[in-house]
Amino acid sequence: MLEVAYRAFANPKKWWLAPPQRNTLLRMRSARVIRVLGIDPASAGATGFAVVDSAGSRCAVVKFGVIPPERDAARDLPARLRRIHAEITALIEEFAPDQVAVEAIFAALNVKTALRLAEVRGVVLLAAAQRELPVHSYSPREVKATVAGYGHASKEQMQKMVRALLSMPEIPRPTDAADALAVALCHIRYAQAEEKFGVPARAVMAPRVPRRGNSRVAGAVSIR
């Protein structure tokens, strides 16, 4: 009792906030924690990454950021790919994720951009395979529908939803890092649904693509 009274007197604000925080930590520790590395590959810009822990219904951000492109990234593509591979490998070694989630290729009309994105995505998959980590791929529409509830959500809407779901003090920036957080959250939601219903998660949660007449191409496709 003397120790309790002393702590309350020394720092009353933090003392009154301590019990809920301790309860949260106990719940996180008692549940099985799964660490996910989310990657938002970019064909020319920055590649976003995010490390998110999931324990039951609670998620916590461990780290997020971007791998910035070099000045001559367009000219020296092999060097850029080597750097991305090295950075992803370093993240895996430092944070030891259980699973990796990567955004799928979103190919519209620019085939050249899609091919470059596939090359970046390839070195990410290689880094995960070298550590024998399972990799899961989600289309941009799946990520948006799972996180924001709308497959055509804007960047701003996604940032606000990511902030709310992860209880972050500020909106995550830059957008590439926020996208990586969203990819990690998307995989966590799918994994939770699959564990709960006992069926492949996409059969439960996958967003439906609306049909537009008899058109074969709806403007874009997702390549896994």
Side-chain angles (χ1 to χ4, degrees):
M1 291 298 295
L2 292 176
E3 181 182 357
V4 171
Y6 172 76
R7 292 174 62 184
F9 176 79
N11 200 336
K13 292 185 178 180
K14 289 188 177 181
W15 169 245
W16 290 114
L17 291 175
Q21 292 174 355
R22 287 203 306 271
N23 293 337
T24 299
L25 291 174
L26 289 175
R27 286 197 298 268
M28 289 286 286
R29 291 174 182 174
S30 62
R32 184 170 65 95
V33 178
I34 298 176
R35 177 163 290 183
V36 178
L37 172 62
I39 304 293
D40 176 42
S43 58
T47 294
F49 68 85
V51 181
V52 179
D53 283 350
S54 171
S57 60
R58 303 187 65 84
C59 295
V61 180
V62 179
K63 185 175 182 179
F64 66 96
V66 297
I67 304 173
E70 298 178 355
R71 294 181 178 179
D72 298 331
R75 298 180 180 180
D76 195 356
L77 182 60
R80 179 171 182 262
L81 296 177
R82 182 175 63 249
R83 180 187 178 189
I84 293 175
H85 177 269
E87 294 285 351
I88 298 299
T89 300
L91 288 170
I92 292 175
E93 292 179 351
E94 180 179 358
F95 296 100
D98 300 299
Q99 302 173 12
V100 178
V102 187
E103 189 172 81
I105 300 173
F106 193 67
L109 299 178
N110 194 338
V111 179
K112 185 177 180 180
T113 301
L115 292 175
R116 288 184 178 179
L117 186 58
E119 293 171 336
V120 175
R121 193 169 178 269
V123 298
V124 173
L125 300 181
L126 175 62
Q130 289 174 333
R131 300 302 184 274
E132 298 182 353
L133 292 175
V135 181
H136 305 268
S137 182
Y138 301 94
S139 69
R141 182 171 302 193
E142 285 177 316
V143 175
K144 292 179 179 180
T146 305
V147 175
Y150 178 54
H152 298 280
S154 64
K155 291 283 187 181
E156 293 76 12
Q157 289 173 327
M158 291 296 292
Q159 287 176 297
K160 292 180 180 179
M161 285 302 302
V162 167
R163 176 191 178 185
L165 292 173
L166 293 173
S167 301
M168 303 177 70
E170 299 178 354
I171 291 179
R173 291 186 175 88
T175 56
D176 302 291
D179 290 342
L181 287 167
V183 172
L185 281 173
C186 175
H187 172 64
I188 290 171
R189 289 290 183 87
Y190 269 91
Q192 290 173 345
E194 186 170 348
E195 183 178 357
K196 180 178 180 180
F197 295 102
V199 296
R202 283 187 171 82
V204 180
M205 298 180 60
R208 296 181 179 180
V209 179
R211 296 182 180 181
R212 299 179 180 179
N214 295 325
S215 176
R216 295 182 180 180
V217 181
V221 296
S222 175
I223 305 173
R224 299 187 186 282

